[in-house]
Amino acid sequence: MADEQVLRAQKWVNSHYGGVTGYVACPENGLTGWGTMNSLIMALQHELGISPVVASFGATTYARFDALGDIGFEWDTNREIVAILQFGLWCKGYWAVEPESEGWFTGVTREAVEKLRGNMGVGGAGVINAKIAKALLNMDAYVVVAGGTDKIRGIQQWLNQNYWTKSAYSIGPCDGIYSRDVQKSLMVALQYELGIAEPNGNFGPATQAALRTATLGEGDSGTKVSLFTAACVFNEPVPIGNGVRTTFKSSYDSKTTEFVKLFQEFSYIPQSGRGDYTTWAQLLVSMGDPDRTVTGSDTRFVISDARAKWLHANGFRVVSRYLYHPDPSYEKQIQPGELETILSNNLRVFPIFQIHGRDASDYDYPTGYQHALKAHEQAEGFGFNRGTTIYFAVDYDATQEEIDDFIVPYFHGVASGLAGQGKKYVHGVYGSRNVCVNITNKTYARYSFVSGMSWGFSGNLGFPLPANWSFNQIKETSGIQISGSAPIDLDSDAWRPDSDPATSSLNLDASPASGFIALVAGLYDAAVAYKASRGSDRDASKLVMEFMRHKTYGGVQWQALIGDYDHGFVAYAQEKGFAVLPEFTDPVTGYRIGAEHMLATADGHLVIDQPGNPKSANVGDITGWGGDLMTFYTDWRNSEEKYASGRAFCEAKLAKPGVSSSFGFTDLIEDADGYLLARAVRGGKDIATAVRERYGNGGSALRRFTDYFQQRWGTAENCKQAAWNDLTQEDPVFDLARGYFITLDGALYPGVLINMPGGSDKLDSFVQGFTDAVLARVGAE
């Protein structure tokens, strides 16, 4: 939204300095941006006697401003400099001076500067020195912005307060967001505490050596502990369970130990619970400790028998190779017989696909689509099994703007291209942490192969490790001499347990869900036999659903919703050797989805058919999307400090791969498939047939979200209204469910919310966010 004072600043600076050598005019649109700030910097340089002017507050500008001393109340040596600073304050959102009185450093200006300094965390009198001026004339915010938190802002202010007077430290933002600049501020502060002679924010040899002697543990306290716990906060949440968080503090207590162990587990480093060197490194840079022992590797060189034996003897258990090179004889591409050689030496392999990929111009939707077709062709030709993850590479430091405009459309093309070939293979992503997180959230990449070795990438600084990371590239070793072969270069990769298993066999075309398909078929046969021997009046397909849900979804709450399960059949099936399968691999996405939740949802929709009016919600819905939405509503209300907008909360948290959430990506898959399985059984199919058709090779799950949306709601308005009714309609069973999912967790009851001022709009925003999330999944198909 345009601001008249910002517009006044833009017109003033352009009119006063338009003829200065090097000056670049800013847009006159009333919107604060780098163009405006750079114009103010160039105006300041002119007043300081610098020519030609440039769009940077560099060392010369700093030195000449510093020579002026503090600029404060009634300073009138150069009224243009005062005006420039006042316009900078306006652009930062501070009431700098009475309109049309710029150039006089008044009491109003002093109060604005005091407020600015307070927000920065540096405090002090309302005067401006060189450091304050440099921080003033940039785009950093000093109040919490959308997506920021007070917890992180408190750390930012603490860093500024304690280190802003140090020569190597620049005042950092206080916007509540962990970013590259905040990471550098933390590193500089840490280097001061470690006694580094010339702090520069880089994770260099001196810093590494000093950290090896800075191990922290339970009972320690002081500034280093504060810096360590700050780094822990910057790397939260640890995506274990529903996301584990910690707090910023100066004492290393048992809670810190608990968090550190979980962080170490997630990062796949030794779980000491202490702030040792390896943990410090993992918190501070994307590569972590580059010399730690790892079992993964990747290379552009052919893996011969001798090289495979060397890899295994040196502790490696998996190696990545490239599916394609324009010249197929070039050894970067997998060569005939190479995969067999790798596997015969007890190694596994995972495929990368890359054509160029070192500039934004290499990425767009059509290119992604064509690359997917080529990757499918190559992977199939080499014999990679169905369900293999192919890592498509982004091998440069893509900015957020480039990710949004080029990289995301490319991966949408990749996903469409693979789907068009029956989704035999699923896509992963290779790139910086930020690339991996964006591609996972926006295109549902299965796994992330992180280019952590490039720790200086802007996409690696200020971003936590992706929740779905499988490999993290940490070190390159050049010129490895292996007996009987030419030297090779090899990258060492941390390989995370329970992530991508990589390929250990070739030319197997079975569905990744084959075990689940076989289990359901066996259970169905057992249910038919049970009915015949016991005279049960329950449908055999329903008995299978009941068996699969009885352990986790068989308590009193579920009895109140859809009735009890058949205890006799559960005992009968267990006697036959059947056991509940908690989860299986979805052949379409490659994600592990919960069989118990999915078949509990199916049972609910089977017991209670969908409402005749798609805008309504009924008890069957509560067993699927409706219950998940109630829980998710609770999370939103308990997070309102950070997410005042329900729609923004849904955009950030609802059904996002790799994001800790009570309504995660796989939850929505389970809701959709549970509903569609129930519809299939209601249509006359037995559960074994329905499951086989859904998850077998080339199954119907390719269009799960489209089918789910069209059959359950049909239109966006119906979906939104059904979500509203799920949260608000007056009904004893719904009241019971909302009491369990919402009230008992301390959240504001939806009926109370909508009767508060603005509450109806808040809830409308939330249910719109749910609708958007469902439609986004439909659009991705």
Side-chain angles (χ1 to χ4, degrees):
M1 182 177 178
D3 183 283
E4 63 178 282
Q5 301 303 331
V6 174
L7 178 60
R8 188 160 65 89
Q10 293 166 336
K11 289 182 176 180
W12 181 88
V13 72
N14 285 340
S15 64
H16 278 66
Y17 300 95
V20 170
T21 302
Y23 180 82
V24 178
C26 60
E28 296 182 3
N29 56 11
L31 302 175
T32 299
W34 270 112
T36 302
M37 289 304 193
N38 285 338
S39 291
L40 291 172
I41 290 170
M42 288 184 280
L44 177 62
Q45 289 170 344
H46 177 73
E47 297 299 334
L48 293 173
I50 298 170
S51 183
V53 298
V54 295
S56 173
F57 200 116
T60 301
T61 307
Y62 187 96
R64 294 203 180 182
F65 195 104
D66 193 45
L68 298 175
D70 291 344
I71 296 177
F73 185 59
E74 294 186 343
W75 190 88
D76 62 356
T77 303
N78 184 319
R79 289 187 57 196
E80 280 69 28
I81 288 179
V82 174
I84 291 166
L85 298 174
Q86 288 170 328
F87 283 126
L89 286 164
W90 278 119
C91 290
K92 278 279 200 279
Y94 297 89
W95 188 272
V97 70
E98 295 301 327
E100 309 302 334
S101 299
E102 63 271 357
W104 297 107
F105 203 113
T106 66
V108 173
T109 307
R110 179 174 58 191
E111 290 175 6
V113 175
E114 287 175 350
K115 186 174 182 180
L116 170 72
R117 292 177 63 133
N119 289 340
M120 288 175 168
V122 304
V127 298
I128 299 176
N129 62 14
K131 281 205 173 181
I132 300 293
K134 184 175 181 178
L136 174 61
L137 297 179
N138 65 28
M139 285 301 295
D140 288 347
Y142 302 106
V143 295
V144 175
V145 300
T149 66
D150 287 332
K151 178 161 62 171
I152 289 181
R153 182 178 185 242
I155 297 173
Q156 293 169 323
Q157 290 180 312
W158 180 87
L159 287 167
N160 286 343
Q161 178 184 15
N162 286 277
Y163 298 97
W164 82 283
T165 59
K166 304 286 188 181
S167 60
Y169 185 91
S170 296
I171 295 173
C174 295
D175 53 7
I177 293 179
Y178 173 48
S179 64
R180 181 181 187 175
D181 288 341
V182 177
Q183 175 71 6
K184 184 172 182 179
S185 294
L186 178 71
M187 281 292 297
V188 170
L190 178 60
Q191 288 171 329
Y192 273 114
E193 297 303 326
L194 292 173
I196 304 299
E198 296 182 5
N200 57 11
N202 293 330
F203 192 69
T207 301
Q208 294 173 39
L211 278 174
R212 293 183 187 279
T213 65
T215 298
L216 301 171
E218 202 165 314
D220 288 334
S221 61
T223 303
K224 287 180 185 176
V225 173
S226 295
L227 293 168
F228 180 82
T229 58
C232 288
V233 170
F234 292 157
N235 282 271
E236 69 175 18
V238 174
I240 294 176
N242 197 29
V244 181
R245 295 184 178 273
T246 186
T247 55
F248 173 57
K249 51 198 166 188
S250 60
S251 297
Y252 203 118
D253 57 18
S254 60
K255 290 293 185 180
T256 306
T257 301
E258 180 182 340
F259 175 85
V260 170
K261 283 184 176 180
L262 292 172
F263 173 77
Q264 292 166 334
E265 177 186 349
F266 169 66
S267 304
Y268 195 43
I269 57 178
Q271 296 175 45
S272 65
R274 293 171 61 78
D276 51 28
Y277 171 72
T278 299
T279 305
W280 270 112
Q282 190 65 35
L283 287 166
L284 294 172
V285 287
S286 58
M287 64 188 178
D289 176 3
D291 297 316
R292 67 189 188 273
T293 300
V294 295
T295 56
S297 62
D298 67 271
T299 183
R300 61 183 177 86
F301 293 88
V302 169
I303 301 301
S304 63
D305 187 66
R307 290 169 177 170
K309 285 181 168 54
W310 182 92
L311 285 170
H312 194 276
N314 282 272
F316 295 102
R317 294 296 178 264
V318 64
V319 62
S320 177
R321 294 286 287 119
Y322 291 84
L323 285 175
Y324 178 75
H325 187 272
D327 178 0
S329 65
Y330 183 61
E331 66 176 321
K332 184 172 184 177
Q333 176 175 306
I334 298 168
Q335 297 298 296
E338 182 183 357
L339 295 181
E340 289 79 1
T341 297
I342 291 171
L343 301 184
S344 68
N345 281 280
N346 295 315
L347 296 171
R348 298 187 179 214
V349 63
F350 64 100
I352 302 175
F353 187 91
Q354 179 179 5
I355 300 178
H356 306 305
R358 298 184 184 275
D359 184 85
S361 63
D362 293 331
Y363 296 91
D364 57 26
Y365 183 96
T367 301
Y369 191 90
Q370 293 302 317
H371 283 185
L373 298 184
K374 176 57 72 173
H376 174 93
E377 175 189 351
Q378 293 291 102
E380 197 166 51
F382 287 125
F384 280 100
N385 298 331
R386 181 176 293 276
T388 297
T389 298
I390 300 173
Y391 295 87
F392 291 80
V394 181
D395 203 10
Y396 81 104
D397 189 13
T399 65
Q400 185 63 54
E401 183 177 9
E402 290 171 338
I403 293 170
D404 293 337
D405 293 345
F406 299 97
I407 311 300
V408 169
Y410 170 85
F411 275 91
H412 280 308
V414 166
S416 295
L418 292 178
Q421 299 301 304
K423 208 64 183 281
K424 183 173 183 178
Y425 304 110
V426 298
H427 74 280
V429 54
Y430 168 85
S432 68
R433 289 180 172 193
N434 192 33
V435 165
C436 290
V437 168
N438 274 269
I439 298 310
T440 297
N441 287 347
K442 296 172 183 176
T443 75
Y444 320 125
R446 178 60 189 100
Y447 290 114
S448 291
F449 178 11
V450 182
S451 55
M453 189 169 62
S454 303
W455 67 270
F457 274 13
S458 62
N460 279 330
L461 285 170
F463 297 95
L465 198 61
N468 68 338
W469 79 275
S470 53
F471 301 96
N472 186 17
Q473 194 177 62
I474 65 170
K475 184 178 182 179
E476 179 183 22
T477 304
S478 300
I480 298 174
Q481 184 66 58
I482 298 171
S483 177
S485 65
I488 67 169
D489 300 338
L490 186 76
D491 295 331
S492 296
D493 306 329
W495 181 20
R496 180 187 178 192
D498 301 322
S499 64
D500 186 350
T503 293
S504 59
S505 62
L506 299 172
N507 297 306
L508 298 179
D509 199 39
S511 166
S514 57
F516 175 64
I517 295 170
L519 172 62
V520 172
L523 279 169
Y524 180 74
D525 289 343
V528 171
Y530 173 78
K531 279 175 59 66
S533 65
R534 306 293 177 92
S536 172
D537 60 354
R538 299 204 188 194
D539 178 76
S541 293
K542 187 176 189 318
L543 288 173
V544 173
M545 296 175 187
E546 290 178 0
F547 178 84
M548 288 297 296
R549 75 169 172 90
H550 82 273
K551 286 179 64 177
T552 306
Y553 300 92
V556 293
Q557 296 85 7
W558 281 79
Q559 292 176 28
L561 290 173
I562 59 172
D564 201 1
Y565 61 87
D566 190 313
H567 291 253
F569 176 65
V570 168
Y572 177 86
Q574 288 173 336
E575 289 173 3
K576 298 291 185 183
F578 291 99
V580 171
L581 179 69
E583 60 181 19
F584 65 96
T585 299
D586 173 36
V588 174
T589 65
Y591 279 80
R592 300 287 289 177
I593 59 178
E596 295 171 284
H597 178 223
M598 182 182 69
L599 287 178
T601 297
D603 196 14
H605 286 297
L606 188 64
V607 171
I608 303 170
D609 198 5
Q610 69 182 48
N613 182 350
K615 293 183 178 181
S616 301
N618 67 14
V619 174
D621 293 317
I622 296 176
T623 67
W625 68 269
D628 287 339
L629 188 63
M630 290 178 188
T631 303
F632 191 67
Y633 165 88
T634 299
D635 288 348
W636 168 51
R637 297 311 304 161
N638 289 335
S639 304
E640 191 185 13
E641 178 182 329
K642 183 176 179 181
Y643 292 99
S645 165
R647 193 172 187 177
F649 184 71
C650 291
E651 169 61 25
K653 297 280 189 177
L654 204 160
K656 294 281 188 179
V659 174
S660 298
S661 171
S662 63
F663 200 160
F665 180 59
T666 57
D667 291 320
L668 189 58
I669 292 176
E670 292 151 17
D671 290 340
D673 284 7
Y675 168 86
L676 292 167
L677 287 172
R679 299 302 296 170
V681 172
R682 280 186 165 274
K685 294 179 180 178
D686 62 75
I687 187 64
T689 299
V691 164
R692 185 179 63 255
E693 291 180 351
R694 176 148 294 275
Y695 300 112
N697 295 345
S700 58
L702 280 168
R703 283 176 47 87
R704 62 163 54 100
F705 293 122
T706 301
D707 293 339
Y708 182 37
F709 178 78
Q710 290 179 348
Q711 294 183 37
R712 175 57 186 88
W713 297 292
T715 70
E717 179 56 35
N718 289 346
C719 181
K720 180 179 178 181
Q721 190 59 52
W724 178 279
N725 289 333
D726 174 67
L727 295 171
T728 62
Q729 71 185 42
E730 296 182 3
D731 176 276
V733 179
F734 274 81
D735 288 341
L736 180 67
R738 285 191 289 262
Y740 180 75
F741 289 124
I742 297 174
T743 308
L744 288 180
D745 282 337
L748 189 66
Y749 201 75
V752 175
L753 173 65
I754 61 176
N755 288 314
M756 296 174 63
S760 181
D761 291 340
K762 284 180 177 290
L763 189 63
D764 182 82
S765 171
F766 178 75
V767 296
Q768 182 63 59
F770 168 73
T771 305
D772 293 344
V774 175
L775 289 174
R777 306 308 171 269
V778 173
E781 293 182 338

